């Protein structure tokens, strides 16, 4: 991976990918990353950055807004399907402790720790996601069964996966996989993802018939729910 030190955007990380057909820009934790087709040189990337500064400023601003939304501190309550997650003061240094109190996951944080520092955030996320994944294996199949019964659909099986970008998948054998990250969504969006995959049981595409069916399953709210999901920021 190469880097480009830009006066406005700081250090930009550049990665070549043989599968890329164009330049792809993304921002993570305030840092810009560019994926480009093989054969591009740093000078070419710099020229494209210069040509698109206005758009890239907007991208950086959106990235910063998301980062601010995701900031955490002791005392926060993170919504989670079937029971929230609360961040509490702990007494053990350099270690997170986790405990369920009923349906609430209590996270005891090391004293004085900055929950938004990269390594700390990674450790917090790892611990929370490990436990939420276990809970998802219990509650998401039940939720899918309830929605499937309501709409009259019959998947052959349901499994729980770990994907963050792909929240659901339906196979040609009528098996549905749901990501445990659905646990962080509000219930209407969980049901939207489930309805989307249930509609694939009849239509293995995204054509008009698929959207008509999905919209019916969603009570006429498919478009609105899809937009809400695109705007959703995962807290962990």
């Amino acid at each position: 991976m190469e880097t480009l030190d830009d006066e406005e955007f700081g250090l930009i990380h550049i990665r070549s990918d043989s599968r890329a057909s164009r330049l792809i820009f993304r921002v993570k934790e305030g840092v810009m990353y560019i994926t480009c087709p093989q054969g591009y040189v740093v000078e070419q990337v710099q020229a494209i950055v210069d040509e698109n500064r206005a758009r890239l400023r907007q991208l950086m601003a959106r990235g910063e807004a998301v980062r601010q939304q995701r900031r955490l501190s002791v005392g926060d309550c993170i919504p989670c399907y079937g029971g929230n997650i609360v961040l509490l003061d702990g007494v053990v240094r350099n270690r997170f402790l986790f405990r369920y109190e009923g349906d609430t996951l209590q996270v005891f944080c090391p004293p004085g720790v900055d929950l938004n520092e990269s390594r700390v955030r990674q450790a917090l996320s790892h611990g929370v996601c490990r436990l939420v994944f276990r809970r998802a294996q219990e509650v998401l199949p039940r939720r899918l069964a309830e929605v499937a019964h309501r709409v009259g659909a019959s998947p052959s099986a349901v499994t729980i996966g770990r994907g963050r970008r792909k929240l659901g998948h339906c196979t040609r054998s009528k098996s549905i996989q749901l990501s445990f990250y659905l646990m962080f969504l509000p219930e209407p969006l969980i049901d939207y993802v489930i309805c989307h995959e249930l509609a694939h049981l009849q239509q293995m595409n995204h054509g008009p018939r698929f959207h008509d069916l999905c919209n019916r399953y969603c009570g006429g709210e498919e478009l609105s729910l899809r937009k809400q999901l695109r705007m959703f920021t995962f807290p962990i």
Side-chain angles (χ1 to χ4, degrees):
M1 181 178 289
E2 296 187 82
T3 58
L4 169 64
D5 193 2
D6 185 79
E7 291 185 2
E8 180 176 5
F9 302 129
L11 203 61
I12 300 173
H13 296 265
I14 305 170
R15 181 175 71 92
S16 295
D17 189 332
S18 60
R19 298 168 298 178
S21 59
R22 58 185 176 83
L23 266 67
I24 302 171
F25 299 84
R26 63 187 179 91
V27 174
K28 183 178 180 181
E29 299 299 326
V31 179
M32 184 180 296
Y33 295 83
I34 302 177
T35 301
C36 59
Q38 288 184 330
Y40 270 72
V41 297
V42 173
E43 289 76 13
Q44 289 176 291
V45 176
Q46 177 70 76
I48 293 174
V49 168
D50 290 338
E51 292 172 3
N52 293 273
R53 285 196 176 274
R55 185 168 65 88
L56 294 178
R57 286 189 196 105
Q58 294 178 348
L59 180 65
M60 291 289 283
R62 286 198 300 270
E64 180 59 26
V66 169
R67 186 163 65 156
Q68 291 301 320
Q69 279 185 283
R70 296 182 70 242
R71 289 188 66 82
L72 295 173
S73 59
V74 171
D76 284 351
C77 179
I78 302 172
C80 188
Y81 181 62
N84 292 333
I85 302 164
V86 294
L87 307 180
L88 304 171
D89 278 316
V91 295
V92 179
R93 293 181 59 83
N94 302 319
R95 184 181 175 191
F96 289 97
L97 299 178
F98 303 88
R99 182 183 73 185
Y100 272 105
E101 184 70 29
D103 290 331
T104 299
L105 176 58
Q106 297 179 332
V107 182
F108 296 91
C109 306
V113 72
D114 179 3
L115 297 180
N116 301 293
E117 193 274 321
S118 179
R119 290 184 181 180
V120 174
R121 186 62 172 260
Q122 188 175 26
L124 171 62
S125 178
H126 177 77
V128 166
C129 288
R130 176 171 53 87
L131 293 171
V132 171
F133 177 76
R134 292 180 187 173
R135 177 61 65 88
Q137 291 176 307
E138 301 173 11
V139 302
L140 288 181
R142 288 203 301 265
R143 187 61 190 171
L144 182 141
E146 292 169 1
V147 176
H149 177 74
R150 172 172 59 82
V151 302
S154 300
S156 63
V158 58
T159 57
I160 304 303
R162 299 178 182 273
R164 182 164 179 163
R165 291 181 179 272
K166 196 169 188 177
L167 297 177
H169 177 65
C170 178
T171 71
R172 293 194 177 276
S173 62
K174 310 296 185 182
S175 174
I176 289 178
Q177 183 179 88
L178 300 175
S179 170
F180 85 96
Y181 275 98
L182 291 184
M183 298 288 285
F184 298 109
L185 296 176
E187 189 171 291
L189 294 185
I190 295 175
D191 287 356
Y192 162 68
V193 174
I194 291 174
C195 287
H196 183 104
E197 301 310 325
L198 291 175
H200 277 312
L201 296 176
Q202 295 189 39
Q203 299 290 331
M204 292 296 291
N205 54 59
H206 289 103
R209 290 183 179 179
F210 166 82
H211 287 294
D212 287 344
L213 183 60
C214 183
N215 190 49
R216 178 158 59 85
Y217 285 174
C218 294
E221 296 294 326
E222 183 206 13
L223 183 58
S224 173
L225 291 167
R226 189 195 319 164
K227 289 180 179 179
Q228 291 176 48
L229 182 59
R230 286 176 178 171
M231 297 297 293
F232 185 82
T233 299
F234 286 97
I236 294 293

